[in-house]
Structure formats: structure tokens, C-alpha cells
Amino acid sequence: EAGVAQSPRYKIIEKRQSVAFWCNPISGHATLYWYQQILGQGPKLLIQFQNNGVVDDSQLPKDRFSAERLKGVDSTLKIQPAKLEDSAVYLCASSFGRVNEKLFFGSGTQLSVL
Amino acid sequence: QQQVKQSPQSLIVQKGGISIINCAYENTAFDYFPWYQQFPGKGPALLIAIRPDVSEKKEGRFTISFNKSAKQFSLHIMDSQPGDSATYFCAASRSGNKLVFGAGTILRVKS
């Protein structure tokens, strides 16, 4: 079974630039999550989709972050404009069945904002 | 009320020893407590999970001990191996709502 695919693996940008991350979940997984993991901290949920609908985006900084999941499969997360404090690993995860249980994570995109 | 506090921040254990990582929570409504293992450059992977209706769950060398009255749970790794060296995160959630993760424990097993 293929895992959660994410790209790019690394991204370096200047502050105020924009950036986008892509995620393809495990086939058949209805729930997709985007997490932000700052160095030395645990992952923090940014947004959760159930199929192509948003379930929880309470911790998404909506003035600069946006996400979509077209057709209920793959998803993109965008930051515009980026700030220095956005430097982190952005993890995508998916799950099947009970929500927020048994999450399968991708390897993440490491973002450095200079 | 949503925090999960994890300790220690880092841990060094000799090969064959027992690794113990602790977590404490405040929200008594939490009803699902997983542990995730993360290797460098990889995403976290679910290791083992427990619900508050049991006090202990064991899977191979990994055991979760759960103390509902103290609002604490811990991960025990028996016969620790160098391949267990990783960062471990505890987490908690309530009724299928979002997982709240601890800050992580970096485990190093010396051979």
C-alpha cells in the first residue's frame, strides 16, 4: 500500500513570498489533515478535511494560509505571504474509519523562510 | 485545558534497558491516548494507543500504562534497542476531535 505522498521535500523562500505544498493521501482515506511541526514541538493541526469539506480549521491563520482538497483526493496548502515564523515542517496525514485515530503521515515538507 | 505535557525532553538508555516516557493531561474529557514514533526526516507513525477503560495495553516490547485518577499515561519500551532511537510523541483527543500532541521526547539507545 502506497503511503501519503508529499512534495516538495524542501523549500526555501524569502519572507513575503508565497509557497504551496501538495499532498496525495492513501487511496480510500476520506479524512486528510495538514499539520505544522515547528522544531522541538509536537505537530499542530492546521486544517482537517472530510472528503472535500473542511471539518476543522480553527488553528489555520486564515489571513495568510489557505488549503483546498478538490474532488476529495489530493490537497494543496498555500502560504501567502510567508513570515519568518512559518519556518517549520508541514506534514500531511490521512486516515480511514474513525476520525483522528490511526493517522498515516507523509514525510513532510521542510520550509525555511529567510 | 487542551495541553498534554510530556517528559523528559530527552532520554538516554543502554541497550537492553527500559525506556519510560510520561505524559500528563488536564482535560478529563479526553478519551483516546496514542503514542507516535518519529524518525529523522520522516512523519510520525502510530505506535500504540489506549482508551481510559483499561489501565494497561501491551504490544510486543511497547506498553502503555494509564492512570485515570492521576490524569497521566506513560510509554514503556522494554529491552530497548538502538533501532528504537527516535522522537516519541504522546497525544490525546476527545470524541474524535483533533489530536493534541505533547512536545516530544528524543530517545537515544546506546549500544
Side-chain angles (χ1 to χ4, degrees):
Chain A
E1 170 180 85
V4 175
Q6 288 190 248
S7 67
R9 191 76 180 84
Y10 304 93
K11 192 73 177 177
I12 301 173
I13 61 173
E14 303 262 332
K15 61 182 179 183
R16 290 188 289 274
Q17 286 186 324
S18 62
V19 64
F21 314 123
W22 175 81
C23 172
N24 192 26
I26 293 172
S27 178
H29 283 196
T31 309
L32 184 147
Y33 315 77
W34 282 102
Y35 281 84
Q36 180 191 58
Q37 186 174 20
I38 293 172
L39 187 65
Q41 299 182 19
K44 182 184 85 170
L45 180 70
L46 292 175
I47 189 166
Q48 175 183 332
F49 292 94
Q50 183 77 16
N51 295 308
N52 60 350
V54 175
V55 173
D56 185 341
D57 63 357
S58 58
Q59 298 185 110
L60 186 74
K62 298 179 186 64
D63 58 334
R64 298 184 301 106
F65 286 65
S66 64
E68 60 181 8
R69 189 183 185 196
L70 299 176
K71 301 180 182 178
V73 183
D74 57 350
S75 176
T76 55
L77 176 70
K78 297 180 182 178
I79 308 175
Q80 182 179 13
K83 292 186 176 181
L84 297 177
E85 58 261 35
D86 298 332
S87 294
V89 175
Y90 291 85
L91 295 163
C92 179
S94 66
S95 66
F96 175 80
R98 295 188 69 160
V99 177
N100 279 302
E101 294 188 8
K102 201 165 187 178
L103 272 63
F104 292 83
F105 283 86
S107 294
T109 296
Q110 186 170 326
L111 173 67
S112 296
V113 182
L114 307 179
Chain B
Q1 295 297 316
Q2 293 295 316
Q3 277 192 319
V4 176
K5 294 184 179 179
Q6 186 172 345
S7 63
Q9 282 186 309
S10 63
L11 180 62
I12 300 175
V13 174
Q14 291 286 355
K15 179 183 176 182
I18 302 173
S19 304
I20 302 174
I21 305 170
N22 302 298
C23 277
Y25 63 96
E26 289 295 323
N27 189 344
T28 55
F30 284 147
D31 58 6
Y32 176 70
F33 303 88
W35 284 90
Y36 279 78
Q37 179 189 56
Q38 185 176 29
F39 292 106
K42 300 293 185 182
L46 179 65
L47 196 58
I48 188 172
I50 198 168
R51 297 188 188 281
D53 54 342
V54 296
S55 60
E56 186 174 282
K57 183 174 181 180
K58 184 176 181 180
E59 290 184 1
R61 297 184 294 108
F62 301 91
T63 300
I64 298 180
S65 296
F66 185 80
N67 186 329
K68 190 173 182 179
S69 61
K71 294 186 287 187
Q72 294 176 347
F73 58 110
S74 59
L75 176 69
H76 292 65
I77 306 174
M78 311 301 287
D79 187 27
S80 298
Q81 299 297 313
D84 297 330
S85 297
T87 300
Y88 293 81
F89 294 95
C90 63
S93 70
R94 173 182 65 85
S95 302
N97 290 314
K98 64 174 173 278
L99 282 168
V100 178
F101 283 85
T105 296
I106 301 171
L107 171 65
R108 179 184 162 206
V109 181
K110 294 174 66 174
S111 56

